[in-house]
Amino acid sequence: MKFVAVTSCPTGIAHTYMAAEALEQAGKAAGHEVQVETQGSAGSTPLDPAIIEAADGVIFAADLEVRDKERFAGKPTIDVGVKKAVHDAPGVLNQAIAAVEAGVSTPAATAGGGSKDPATTIDRSSSVGTRVRQYLMTGVSYMIPFVAAGGILIALSFMIGGYEIVNVKADEVINNFDVLSKTSWAALMNLTGGVAFGFLVAVLSGFIAFAIADRPGLVPGFVGGSISVAVGAGFLGGLVSGFVAGFLALWISRWKVPKGVRGIMPVVVIPLLSTFVTGLLMFVVLGRPLAALMDGLSDWLSGLSGSNLILLGLILGAMMGIDLGGPVNKVAYTFAVTGLSTAGLTDGATQFRVMATVMGAGMVAPLAMALATTVRKRLFTRAERENGKAAWLLGLSFISEGAIPFAAADPLRVLGASVVGSSVTGGLIMAFDASQRAPHGGVWVLPLVDNWLLFLLAVAIGTVISAVLVIIFKGLGSNPALEAEQAA
């Protein structure tokens, strides 16, 4: 059989391409042809229409919206999460084969901004919790590039010009920029990064609404997120405004209206009404209590000390290690990043410690797998040993997904060890009072880490603990993949 597939994950980086490779390899092993379109953060190359036309079935392995979904109308289709394709590509392929044999085709998708249902991979038959997670992950996925661009520019400006660079105003850069002055360059980075960082809440809100209502949700979602910042509701307000705007836009787009009105619904009626009502709710009804809740969260964080702060580090560390770039990992990371935006990257010591905790703990799993494959090669397959070499660089760069190939093959032992080591690292970083102002970068942003030697010590301790546990766990049980390789 011939299949076409689309893969995408919340960040559009690791899982997207790993799922594509897994599906292609599973198809080759089973004697089927699978051609994949990766809709990642770097964009995508659409499948040739002739290839889609010749396909027997379609596989959507995605946690985000599948762009131009109507291209696949009329084909037997299955829709699974991207992690399912990474962990069990043969099982996904078998589902697709069964769908083709059953001969059930999908109806044509409605294109355009006034579609009744959003062109996303949100499964309407799934549980409420699953759908909420999918909506949230869509918003986070679009927010992360703003985090990387804005946060790292600001952090670099501190590295070049010191923390006092925040006192340089935009007028000074516009009127007195000096190409030969490092202060001018640092101020430019700080101002540009600040603008990018200022979009975080609006982008989060806008694309949560987009996941719910497709394009009709964008305008009220972005406006609601901007209002959240204006009234002091911050990140929490952005979450709420995204859901409010999305469901409002979806509800209005489903109104039965006369034919003469349909043409202006997506460009006038839906954005006008949904934006006004979202503004009304955020300014008058929800803004004040959400701002109070956000202030309470900030005060709680600022008030943490001693054992309570270490406990928070243990919890955040475990979250970073439990699913290696999945939803739980992303919740912890988003919590840290939005703490930076609240602190403005210039104050708020507790928020900086949270960021250091999340980054350090997220480095542990791939580094531990790299170390384990180096010191106990005989416990791992040839492919795992090769993946272990790449995991050194991925771990040092704070890319937790570097451990996914190991977790996919042996989830209980690898993830169990990952959680323990990452949690220990999180607790130690809090205890060592290490802090970090950059939202990403791993060891490449060490100059921006306060108490960086102790930060590295915490990462090293967690790495050794996870590696030792993996080696012990591997030694106690069987390894079917390794045994099959040795038999061959």
Side-chain angles (χ1 to χ4, degrees), residues 145-158 193-194 196-197 340 345 437-440 448:
F146 288 84
V147 170
I152 293 177
L153 276 174
I154 294 174
L156 288 173
S157 76
F158 291 153
F197 226 60
L340 285 186
L345 289 172
R437 286 170 169 80
H440 214 292
L448 300 169

PDB file of all heavy atoms in Angstrom, residues 145-158 193-194 196-197 340 345 437-440 448:
ATOM      1  N   PRO A 145       9.125  30.283  19.832  1.00  0.00           N
ATOM      2  CA  PRO A 145      10.089  31.085  19.056  1.00  0.00           C
ATOM      3  C   PRO A 145      10.247  32.515  19.574  1.00  0.00           C
ATOM      4  O   PRO A 145      11.348  33.085  19.501  1.00  0.00           O
ATOM      5  CB  PRO A 145       9.502  31.063  17.640  1.00  0.00           C
ATOM      6  CG  PRO A 145       8.673  29.816  17.588  1.00  0.00           C
ATOM      7  CD  PRO A 145       8.099  29.681  18.961  1.00  0.00           C
ATOM      8  N   PHE A 146       9.180  33.104  20.091  1.00  0.00           N
ATOM      9  CA  PHE A 146       9.284  34.444  20.678  1.00  0.00           C
ATOM     10  C   PHE A 146      10.119  34.394  21.948  1.00  0.00           C
ATOM     11  O   PHE A 146      10.884  35.316  22.245  1.00  0.00           O
ATOM     12  CB  PHE A 146       7.889  34.999  20.979  1.00  0.00           C
ATOM     13  CG  PHE A 146       7.103  35.386  19.758  1.00  0.00           C
ATOM     14  CD1 PHE A 146       6.372  34.445  19.051  1.00  0.00           C
ATOM     15  CD2 PHE A 146       7.089  36.696  19.307  1.00  0.00           C
ATOM     16  CE1 PHE A 146       5.658  34.796  17.917  1.00  0.00           C
ATOM     17  CE2 PHE A 146       6.376  37.067  18.180  1.00  0.00           C
ATOM     18  CZ  PHE A 146       5.658  36.111  17.478  1.00  0.00           C
ATOM     19  N   VAL A 147       9.961  33.308  22.708  1.00  0.00           N
ATOM     20  CA  VAL A 147      10.753  33.117  23.923  1.00  0.00           C
ATOM     21  C   VAL A 147      12.239  33.059  23.567  1.00  0.00           C
ATOM     22  O   VAL A 147      13.070  33.751  24.159  1.00  0.00           O
ATOM     23  CB  VAL A 147      10.343  31.811  24.634  1.00  0.00           C
ATOM     24  CG1 VAL A 147      11.324  31.476  25.750  1.00  0.00           C
ATOM     25  CG2 VAL A 147       8.939  31.925  25.190  1.00  0.00           C
ATOM     26  N   ALA A 148      12.569  32.228  22.577  1.00  0.00           N
ATOM     27  CA  ALA A 148      13.974  32.045  22.207  1.00  0.00           C
ATOM     28  C   ALA A 148      14.575  33.340  21.671  1.00  0.00           C
ATOM     29  O   ALA A 148      15.653  33.768  22.105  1.00  0.00           O
ATOM     30  CB  ALA A 148      14.092  30.932  21.166  1.00  0.00           C
ATOM     31  N   ALA A 149      13.872  33.970  20.733  1.00  0.00           N
ATOM     32  CA  ALA A 149      14.409  35.196  20.132  1.00  0.00           C
ATOM     33  C   ALA A 149      14.508  36.321  21.155  1.00  0.00           C
ATOM     34  O   ALA A 149      15.577  36.935  21.332  1.00  0.00           O
ATOM     35  CB  ALA A 149      13.531  35.628  18.954  1.00  0.00           C
ATOM     36  N   GLY A 150      13.407  36.603  21.844  1.00  0.00           N
ATOM     37  CA  GLY A 150      13.397  37.726  22.784  1.00  0.00           C
ATOM     38  C   GLY A 150      14.254  37.492  23.998  1.00  0.00           C
ATOM     39  O   GLY A 150      15.070  38.343  24.381  1.00  0.00           O
ATOM     40  N   GLY A 151      14.095  36.332  24.624  1.00  0.00           N
ATOM     41  CA  GLY A 151      14.820  36.068  25.854  1.00  0.00           C
ATOM     42  C   GLY A 151      16.316  36.018  25.669  1.00  0.00           C
ATOM     43  O   GLY A 151      17.081  36.564  26.467  1.00  0.00           O
ATOM     44  N   ILE A 152      16.763  35.360  24.606  1.00  0.00           N
ATOM     45  CA  ILE A 152      18.207  35.235  24.401  1.00  0.00           C
ATOM     46  C   ILE A 152      18.819  36.572  23.984  1.00  0.00           C
ATOM     47  O   ILE A 152      19.941  36.899  24.377  1.00  0.00           O
ATOM     48  CB  ILE A 152      18.511  34.114  23.386  1.00  0.00           C
ATOM     49  CG1 ILE A 152      18.111  32.757  23.991  1.00  0.00           C
ATOM     50  CG2 ILE A 152      19.980  34.114  23.004  1.00  0.00           C
ATOM     51  CD1 ILE A 152      18.300  31.582  23.065  1.00  0.00           C
ATOM     52  N   LEU A 153      18.096  37.373  23.193  1.00  0.00           N
ATOM     53  CA  LEU A 153      18.611  38.709  22.864  1.00  0.00           C
ATOM     54  C   LEU A 153      18.804  39.551  24.127  1.00  0.00           C
ATOM     55  O   LEU A 153      19.822  40.244  24.285  1.00  0.00           O
ATOM     56  CB  LEU A 153      17.662  39.417  21.902  1.00  0.00           C
ATOM     57  CG  LEU A 153      17.815  39.101  20.412  1.00  0.00           C
ATOM     58  CD1 LEU A 153      16.700  39.778  19.617  1.00  0.00           C
ATOM     59  CD2 LEU A 153      19.186  39.564  19.905  1.00  0.00           C
ATOM     60  N   ILE A 154      17.826  39.495  25.017  1.00  0.00           N
ATOM     61  CA  ILE A 154      17.947  40.254  26.273  1.00  0.00           C
ATOM     62  C   ILE A 154      19.108  39.731  27.101  1.00  0.00           C
ATOM     63  O   ILE A 154      19.906  40.502  27.657  1.00  0.00           O
ATOM     64  CB  ILE A 154      16.633  40.192  27.065  1.00  0.00           C
ATOM     65  CG1 ILE A 154      15.523  40.923  26.308  1.00  0.00           C
ATOM     66  CG2 ILE A 154      16.806  40.808  28.452  1.00  0.00           C
ATOM     67  CD1 ILE A 154      14.157  40.792  26.928  1.00  0.00           C
ATOM     68  N   ALA A 155      19.216  38.404  27.182  1.00  0.00           N
ATOM     69  CA  ALA A 155      20.302  37.825  27.966  1.00  0.00           C
ATOM     70  C   ALA A 155      21.662  38.197  27.385  1.00  0.00           C
ATOM     71  O   ALA A 155      22.612  38.508  28.117  1.00  0.00           O
ATOM     72  CB  ALA A 155      20.138  36.307  28.014  1.00  0.00           C
ATOM     73  N   LEU A 156      21.789  38.177  26.062  1.00  0.00           N
ATOM     74  CA  LEU A 156      23.046  38.580  25.428  1.00  0.00           C
ATOM     75  C   LEU A 156      23.359  40.053  25.685  1.00  0.00           C
ATOM     76  O   LEU A 156      24.526  40.443  25.833  1.00  0.00           O
ATOM     77  CB  LEU A 156      22.979  38.314  23.923  1.00  0.00           C
ATOM     78  CG  LEU A 156      23.036  36.846  23.491  1.00  0.00           C
ATOM     79  CD1 LEU A 156      22.791  36.728  21.997  1.00  0.00           C
ATOM     80  CD2 LEU A 156      24.377  36.222  23.867  1.00  0.00           C
ATOM     81  N   SER A 157      22.313  40.866  25.727  1.00  0.00           N
ATOM     82  CA  SER A 157      22.541  42.284  26.013  1.00  0.00           C
ATOM     83  C   SER A 157      23.128  42.471  27.411  1.00  0.00           C
ATOM     84  O   SER A 157      23.986  43.341  27.624  1.00  0.00           O
ATOM     85  CB  SER A 157      21.229  43.073  25.878  1.00  0.00           C
ATOM     86  OG  SER A 157      20.365  42.869  26.979  1.00  0.00           O
ATOM     87  N   PHE A 158      22.698  41.648  28.365  1.00  0.00           N
ATOM     88  CA  PHE A 158      23.267  41.704  29.715  1.00  0.00           C
ATOM     89  C   PHE A 158      24.729  41.271  29.702  1.00  0.00           C
ATOM     90  O   PHE A 158      25.573  41.816  30.404  1.00  0.00           O
ATOM     91  CB  PHE A 158      22.481  40.807  30.666  1.00  0.00           C
ATOM     92  CG  PHE A 158      21.083  41.310  30.956  1.00  0.00           C
ATOM     93  CD1 PHE A 158      20.077  40.416  31.295  1.00  0.00           C
ATOM     94  CD2 PHE A 158      20.777  42.653  30.902  1.00  0.00           C
ATOM     95  CE1 PHE A 158      18.790  40.861  31.578  1.00  0.00           C
ATOM     96  CE2 PHE A 158      19.495  43.109  31.173  1.00  0.00           C
ATOM     97  CZ  PHE A 158      18.507  42.213  31.507  1.00  0.00           C
ATOM     98  N   GLY A 193      14.836  42.571  21.962  1.00  0.00           N
ATOM     99  CA  GLY A 193      14.400  41.401  22.713  1.00  0.00           C
ATOM    100  C   GLY A 193      13.201  41.688  23.591  1.00  0.00           C
ATOM    101  O   GLY A 193      12.303  40.858  23.730  1.00  0.00           O
ATOM    102  N   GLY A 194      13.179  42.883  24.172  1.00  0.00           N
ATOM    103  CA  GLY A 194      12.039  43.259  25.007  1.00  0.00           C
ATOM    104  C   GLY A 194      10.746  43.331  24.218  1.00  0.00           C
ATOM    105  O   GLY A 194       9.685  42.920  24.696  1.00  0.00           O
ATOM    106  N   ALA A 196      10.110  41.600  21.432  1.00  0.00           N
ATOM    107  CA  ALA A 196       9.740  40.209  21.126  1.00  0.00           C
ATOM    108  C   ALA A 196       9.140  39.519  22.350  1.00  0.00           C
ATOM    109  O   ALA A 196       8.132  38.813  22.251  1.00  0.00           O
ATOM    110  CB  ALA A 196      10.967  39.441  20.619  1.00  0.00           C
ATOM    111  N   PHE A 197       9.750  39.730  23.508  1.00  0.00           N
ATOM    112  CA  PHE A 197       9.254  39.110  24.739  1.00  0.00           C
ATOM    113  C   PHE A 197       7.877  39.634  25.101  1.00  0.00           C
ATOM    114  O   PHE A 197       7.071  38.938  25.715  1.00  0.00           O
ATOM    115  CB  PHE A 197      10.248  39.379  25.870  1.00  0.00           C
ATOM    116  CG  PHE A 197      10.573  38.181  26.699  1.00  0.00           C
ATOM    117  CD1 PHE A 197      11.149  37.065  26.112  1.00  0.00           C
ATOM    118  CD2 PHE A 197      10.313  38.150  28.051  1.00  0.00           C
ATOM    119  CE1 PHE A 197      11.470  35.961  26.860  1.00  0.00           C
ATOM    120  CE2 PHE A 197      10.627  37.039  28.812  1.00  0.00           C
ATOM    121  CZ  PHE A 197      11.208  35.941  28.219  1.00  0.00           C
ATOM    122  N   LEU A 340      10.043  34.496  33.933  1.00  0.00           N
ATOM    123  CA  LEU A 340      11.023  35.466  33.456  1.00  0.00           C
ATOM    124  C   LEU A 340      10.335  36.718  32.910  1.00  0.00           C
ATOM    125  O   LEU A 340      10.779  37.833  33.140  1.00  0.00           O
ATOM    126  CB  LEU A 340      11.888  34.857  32.350  1.00  0.00           C
ATOM    127  CG  LEU A 340      12.978  33.854  32.735  1.00  0.00           C
ATOM    128  CD1 LEU A 340      13.795  33.503  31.509  1.00  0.00           C
ATOM    129  CD2 LEU A 340      13.880  34.392  33.822  1.00  0.00           C
ATOM    130  N   LEU A 345      13.260  40.018  33.412  1.00  0.00           N
ATOM    131  CA  LEU A 345      14.663  39.647  33.213  1.00  0.00           C
ATOM    132  C   LEU A 345      15.631  40.597  33.913  1.00  0.00           C
ATOM    133  O   LEU A 345      16.822  40.565  33.662  1.00  0.00           O
ATOM    134  CB  LEU A 345      15.005  39.577  31.713  1.00  0.00           C
ATOM    135  CG  LEU A 345      14.400  38.405  30.951  1.00  0.00           C
ATOM    136  CD1 LEU A 345      14.662  38.571  29.459  1.00  0.00           C
ATOM    137  CD2 LEU A 345      14.970  37.088  31.423  1.00  0.00           C
ATOM    138  N   ARG A 437      19.111  33.858  33.559  1.00  0.00           N
ATOM    139  CA  ARG A 437      18.267  34.870  32.933  1.00  0.00           C
ATOM    140  C   ARG A 437      17.919  34.549  31.486  1.00  0.00           C
ATOM    141  O   ARG A 437      17.079  35.200  30.895  1.00  0.00           O
ATOM    142  CB  ARG A 437      18.950  36.239  33.014  1.00  0.00           C
ATOM    143  CG  ARG A 437      18.905  36.846  34.406  1.00  0.00           C
ATOM    144  CD  ARG A 437      19.784  38.083  34.508  1.00  0.00           C
ATOM    145  NE  ARG A 437      19.555  38.802  35.745  1.00  0.00           N
ATOM    146  CZ  ARG A 437      20.068  38.464  36.915  1.00  0.00           C
ATOM    147  NH1 ARG A 437      20.845  37.397  37.025  1.00  0.00           N
ATOM    148  NH2 ARG A 437      19.808  39.176  38.005  1.00  0.00           N
ATOM    149  N   ALA A 438      18.587  33.590  30.879  1.00  0.00           N
ATOM    150  CA  ALA A 438      18.286  33.205  29.492  1.00  0.00           C
ATOM    151  C   ALA A 438      17.302  32.038  29.496  1.00  0.00           C
ATOM    152  O   ALA A 438      17.442  31.117  30.303  1.00  0.00           O
ATOM    153  CB  ALA A 438      19.554  32.809  28.759  1.00  0.00           C
ATOM    154  N   PRO A 439      16.302  32.038  28.611  1.00  0.00           N
ATOM    155  CA  PRO A 439      15.295  30.989  28.629  1.00  0.00           C
ATOM    156  C   PRO A 439      15.713  29.720  27.903  1.00  0.00           C
ATOM    157  O   PRO A 439      14.947  28.763  27.850  1.00  0.00           O
ATOM    158  CB  PRO A 439      14.108  31.641  27.911  1.00  0.00           C
ATOM    159  CG  PRO A 439      14.746  32.587  26.958  1.00  0.00           C
ATOM    160  CD  PRO A 439      15.976  33.096  27.643  1.00  0.00           C
ATOM    161  N   HIS A 440      16.892  29.688  27.317  1.00  0.00           N
ATOM    162  CA  HIS A 440      17.351  28.488  26.611  1.00  0.00           C
ATOM    163  C   HIS A 440      18.854  28.591  26.408  1.00  0.00           C
ATOM    164  O   HIS A 440      19.455  29.617  26.702  1.00  0.00           O
ATOM    165  CB  HIS A 440      16.640  28.350  25.255  1.00  0.00           C
ATOM    166  CG  HIS A 440      16.384  26.924  24.852  1.00  0.00           C
ATOM    167  ND1 HIS A 440      17.388  26.054  24.521  1.00  0.00           N
ATOM    168  CD2 HIS A 440      15.230  26.211  24.750  1.00  0.00           C
ATOM    169  CE1 HIS A 440      16.878  24.872  24.231  1.00  0.00           C
ATOM    170  NE2 HIS A 440      15.566  24.929  24.365  1.00  0.00           N
ATOM    171  N   LEU A 448      25.719  33.602  31.689  1.00  0.00           N
ATOM    172  CA  LEU A 448      24.528  34.255  32.225  1.00  0.00           C
ATOM    173  C   LEU A 448      23.952  33.517  33.433  1.00  0.00           C
ATOM    174  O   LEU A 448      22.899  33.875  33.923  1.00  0.00           O
ATOM    175  CB  LEU A 448      23.453  34.357  31.134  1.00  0.00           C
ATOM    176  CG  LEU A 448      23.884  35.168  29.906  1.00  0.00           C
ATOM    177  CD1 LEU A 448      22.888  34.990  28.780  1.00  0.00           C
ATOM    178  CD2 LEU A 448      24.026  36.627  30.262  1.00  0.00           C
TER     179      LEU A 448
END
